[in-house]
Amino acid sequence: MLDRTDDSSVAADNWLAQFEEALGKPDEGLLKTLFHPDSYWRDVLALSWNIQTLNGADAILEALPPLAHRMAPAGFAIAPDRAAPRKVMRAGTNAIEAIFKFETKVGRGSGIIRLIPDADDGNRLKAWTLLTELGELKGFEEQLGMNRPRGNAYSRDFRGPNWLDLRKASAGYSDHDPTVLVIGGGQSGLSIAARLKQLNVDTLIVDREKRIGDNWRKRYHALTLHNQVQVNHLPYMPFPPNWPTYIPKDKLANWFEAYVEAMELNFWTGTEFEGGRYDETEGRWTVTLRCVDGATRTMHPRHVVLATGVSGIPSVPDIPGLEDFAGKVMHSSQYDDGENWKGKRAIVIGTGNSGHDIAQDLHSSGAKVTLFQRSSTLVVSIEPSAQLVYAPYNEGTLEDNDLITVSMPLKLARKSHAMTAEKSKVLDTELLKGLESVGFKLDFGEDNTGWQFKYLTRGGGYYFNVGCSDLIVKGDIVLKQFADLDTFTAAGAKMRSGETIAADLVVLATGYKRQEELVRKLFGEAVEKRVGTIWGFGEEQELRNMYRRTGQPGLWFIAGGLAQCRIGSKHLALQIKAIEEGLLPRGA
């Protein structure tokens, strides 16, 4: 339980006052007394114009003074409209946690300080973790609330264009190009476009699907989100309070359509992005779009945002003899409905979420299913185990919980998730023993950090059990190891034992290629090399090339679930706006 006390407020107030004083007098040594030796500072654009984490007091004390001198942070105070200072446990450590506000030369920000006693300094309370996050740019605030567009109530032009006329002209781009072109209209694309809209940055989303939301609507019939509704809101428009805990795919797809209309986002459906090249001198792209009518359109945006997910190109492994198979072969991205395979025999290759869900969907439709496991897989029950990582979102405001999420440095986040993974193992003991008894190969992520870090490093490799594991344990879905496969024949899968598993359908739930391959396809090898590795964690302890400037000016990436996109889109949009207003250089 959280303990809100005046002592917590006093401690946080005192620390913030001393911190502001120390930043103004960096040579007097006060700053050194404020940070615990084992401390962390995560700065999200506020002082460094970067997204970065520093570990240890020495590293913080070296980097902080010059950045503070340049950005002149001031006005540090407990945020009156946020959660009050309180005692919490984070990553197994008891701390005083406080949300604060501050300003810099260019913007206003929020942060979180966590204080713990330093046993080597008389148990004096010192900073264990510090977050400084840019929230808005001075003079370029979001057009929300009291800052919303007013329109003209008293001197209307009855002969001029009305709202609908202006919307059509804005979305048509007949006489102008967008400042930002967003490729992909899922949660990533909608989130960044909505953020940029509120910052008055002209943005166009293009998506190759025929209808907004089809990237969810056209997925397999039984799909619902695997995390709960309170975590998944898009920016500015929370889901209605009567929505189900786990959102069905078609309901989410329809919400995407409503969101685009309500947020007045410019969106071209049936439009394929064919590629582009960057003009260093002009600071613009030349890109080619193939539109729904087959015609091509050349545009010159200053920014291109790839919002195509963690990866965009299906990975189809080279499987011996598969070309000789007489039945139907499809990638999981093409799978729709098990009813089409009632009474048939199906092989599903891959044991991530998609592989399990497709196998279960086929089984429930009356197909005989064999599931092939290619590599060890992390399995957790959908409830409560998979939801443990989202526990903070079960209380408090979305704004506070997002800030808490941002505030956790990588090392502590890994520790916290490892602790959660251990709880999951205990909760799922019976399930996991059952899977091992039928030969299912389990893992618990790198250093046992659980499913979310598998996602953040690999983009997959885990399954939230909604019943398929139970079917595997009972033998209703047959489990085979891919390593025991010899070759495919016209009839099905021939095993090394000599057994042939007859099949009418093979579904390759084998994931997607790395996003670097999509960059090479769309922009060429030189741009791919300039950008480098995408996703996973780099030396700065941050996701590589996500929500931040890359080695290629004007090229940005956003991906992840709805919560990640909601949070990351804010940071990405502020950087693009800062570049457009001359506050930040275009290059990394």
Side-chain angles (χ1 to χ4, degrees):
M1 294 293 292
L2 302 177
D3 178 18
R4 299 168 183 268
T5 69
D6 290 338
D7 289 347
S8 297
S9 295
V10 170
D13 274 327
N14 288 341
W15 191 93
L16 289 170
Q18 292 178 74
F19 183 58
E20 183 162 350
E21 180 184 352
L23 291 179
K25 303 173 183 177
D27 298 330
E28 295 188 8
L30 177 57
L31 194 62
K32 187 175 182 179
T33 68
L34 298 179
F35 285 89
H36 194 280
D38 182 25
S39 53
Y40 305 84
W41 173 35
R42 189 166 193 232
D43 184 59
V44 182
L45 307 177
L47 302 184
S48 65
W49 277 124
N50 198 0
I51 301 175
Q52 63 183 29
T53 299
L54 295 175
N55 293 8
D58 290 343
I60 295 170
L61 294 172
E62 180 181 356
L64 183 53
L67 292 174
H69 178 74
R70 185 177 69 182
M71 299 302 289
F76 290 89
I78 300 299
D81 55 345
R82 310 292 286 266
R86 56 197 180 175
K87 293 178 181 178
V88 300
M89 178 177 284
R90 304 291 185 203
T93 297
N94 290 307
I96 291 174
E97 179 179 271
I99 300 177
F100 62 87
K101 63 178 183 176
F102 66 100
E103 296 188 12
T104 69
K105 286 181 178 179
V106 300
R108 301 177 188 89
S110 298
I112 291 182
I113 181 67
R114 296 189 182 95
L115 304 174
I116 61 173
D118 183 356
D120 294 329
D121 189 11
N123 284 328
R124 176 175 177 174
L125 288 174
K126 296 183 179 182
W128 175 46
T129 75
L130 172 66
L131 168 73
T132 48
E133 182 204 46
L134 179 66
E136 63 181 6
L137 298 168
K138 292 179 179 178
F140 309 105
E141 293 80 5
E142 291 184 320
Q143 298 177 334
L144 301 171
M146 296 300 293
N147 197 39
R148 74 176 78 218
R150 279 188 55 83
N152 198 331
Y154 297 104
S155 57
R156 302 174 190 174
D157 184 354
F158 284 84
R159 295 288 182 180
N162 68 1
W163 172 85
L164 182 59
D165 298 326
L166 295 173
R167 280 292 302 127
K168 288 179 178 178
S170 173
Y173 291 98
S174 61
D175 59 356
H176 68 291
D177 287 340
T179 301
V180 180
L181 181 67
V182 177
I183 314 304
Q187 62 264 21
S188 304
L190 298 188
S191 295
I192 184 57
R195 297 284 191 187
L196 290 168
K197 170 77 174 181
Q198 300 313 306
L199 291 172
N200 199 29
V201 178
D202 191 351
T203 303
L204 170 64
I205 306 168
V206 297
D207 193 284
R208 61 189 174 191
E209 299 292 351
K210 294 181 180 179
R211 182 180 172 191
I212 297 168
D214 271 355
N215 47 12
W216 281 96
R217 190 178 290 108
K218 293 171 70 173
R219 297 172 74 178
Y220 58 89
H221 186 71
L223 178 64
T224 64
L225 296 188
H226 291 102
N227 52 359
Q228 296 180 351
V229 64
Q230 70 270 19
V231 181
N232 285 320
H233 304 289
L234 288 169
Y236 312 114
M237 277 182 61
F239 298 124
N242 66 334
W243 271 40
T245 300
Y246 296 98
I247 305 173
K249 69 178 181 74
D250 297 284
K251 192 174 187 69
L252 183 64
N254 293 343
W255 182 260
F256 280 11
E257 283 188 311
Y259 187 83
V260 168
E261 177 63 25
M263 297 301 298
E264 299 185 14
L265 306 183
N266 297 333
F267 196 126
W268 288 6
T269 55
T271 303
E272 185 84 24
F273 180 79
E274 295 191 332
R277 66 181 187 277
Y278 188 73
D279 188 317
E280 298 280 353
T281 303
E282 295 292 328
R284 291 179 180 272
W285 292 92
T286 297
V287 303
T288 303
L289 306 175
R290 184 164 298 279
C291 302
V292 65
D293 59 0
T296 60
R297 171 77 182 267
T298 300
M299 284 186 165
H300 301 282
R302 287 196 287 274
H303 307 268
V304 172
V305 179
L306 271 188
T308 53
V310 174
S311 52
I313 303 174
S315 177
V316 180
D318 185 13
I319 298 176
L322 189 59
E323 68 277 6
D324 299 323
F325 176 59
K328 177 74 172 178
V329 179
M330 67 175 68
H331 188 264
S332 58
S333 59
Q334 301 168 302
Y335 179 82
D336 180 21
D337 191 349
E339 289 300 307
N340 300 323
W341 301 95
K342 185 175 183 179
K344 302 293 185 180
R345 300 157 300 183
I347 289 174
V348 179
I349 299 177
T351 50
N353 270 321
S354 293
H356 276 90
D357 282 355
I358 289 169
Q360 187 172 357
D361 188 59
L362 286 163
H363 171 79
S364 67
S365 297
K368 181 180 179 181
V369 184
T370 302
L371 180 64
F372 275 75
Q373 184 176 26
R374 299 172 71 209
S375 59
S376 62
T377 307
L378 190 155
V379 177
V380 294
S381 295
I382 188 72
E383 284 189 356
S385 297
Q387 308 307 319
L388 293 176
V389 298
Y390 298 119
Y393 283 86
N394 295 330
E395 58 180 46
T397 68
L398 184 68
E399 186 180 28
D400 286 353
N401 289 327
D402 281 351
L403 195 67
I404 291 168
T405 298
V406 173
S407 73
M408 292 303 291
L410 175 62
K411 184 177 178 180
L412 296 183
R414 286 175 61 87
K415 180 180 178 181
S416 179
H417 282 268
M419 294 170 66
T420 300
E422 286 300 316
K423 292 180 183 178
S424 298
K425 286 184 196 178
V426 174
L427 291 168
D428 294 336
T429 296
E430 184 177 347
L431 169 68
L432 299 178
K433 284 183 177 179
L435 286 170
E436 288 179 323
S437 72
V438 295
F440 194 96
K441 296 180 179 179
L442 293 165
D443 70 56
F444 302 97
E446 182 182 356
D447 298 325
N448 292 324
T449 49
W451 71 264
Q452 193 162 68
F453 269 92
K454 265 207 158 185
Y455 175 69
L456 293 171
T457 54
R458 290 182 44 190
Y462 54 88
Y463 168 57
F464 298 153
N465 181 38
V466 292
C468 189
S469 292
D470 306 271
L471 295 172
I472 292 169
V473 171
K474 289 190 294 183
D476 293 343
I477 291 176
V478 176
L479 176 70
K480 296 290 183 180
Q481 292 298 324
F482 187 76
D484 295 331
L485 172 69
D486 180 20
T487 186
F488 270 87
T489 66
K494 181 182 177 183
M495 308 302 288
R496 297 186 189 280
S497 64
E499 173 193 12
T500 294
I501 301 171
D504 305 291
L505 168 70
V506 173
V507 181
L508 302 174
T510 49
Y512 295 82
K513 295 181 179 180
R514 295 186 63 84
Q515 200 164 23
E516 293 91 322
E517 296 198 31
L518 181 61
V519 173
R520 186 191 315 133
K521 175 184 175 182
L522 296 177
F523 304 106
E525 187 175 351
V527 171
E528 180 205 0
K529 289 182 177 179
R530 204 170 296 143
V531 171
T533 304
I534 305 165
W535 204 248
F537 291 94
E539 293 181 0
E540 292 179 314
Q541 305 171 68
E542 304 291 344
L543 285 172
R544 289 174 291 204
N545 287 305
M546 275 289 151
Y547 327 122
R548 59 197 295 195
R549 286 176 291 168
T550 70
Q552 171 59 60
L555 183 61
W556 309 80
F557 299 89
I558 181 170
L562 277 86
Q564 284 176 295
C565 293
R566 180 181 66 247
I567 294 169
S569 61
K570 174 184 175 182
H571 306 146
L572 199 164
L574 285 169
Q575 291 169 88
I576 290 177
K577 181 63 174 178
I579 288 172
E580 288 304 301
E581 300 300 336
L583 301 174
L584 187 62
R586 295 187 180 276

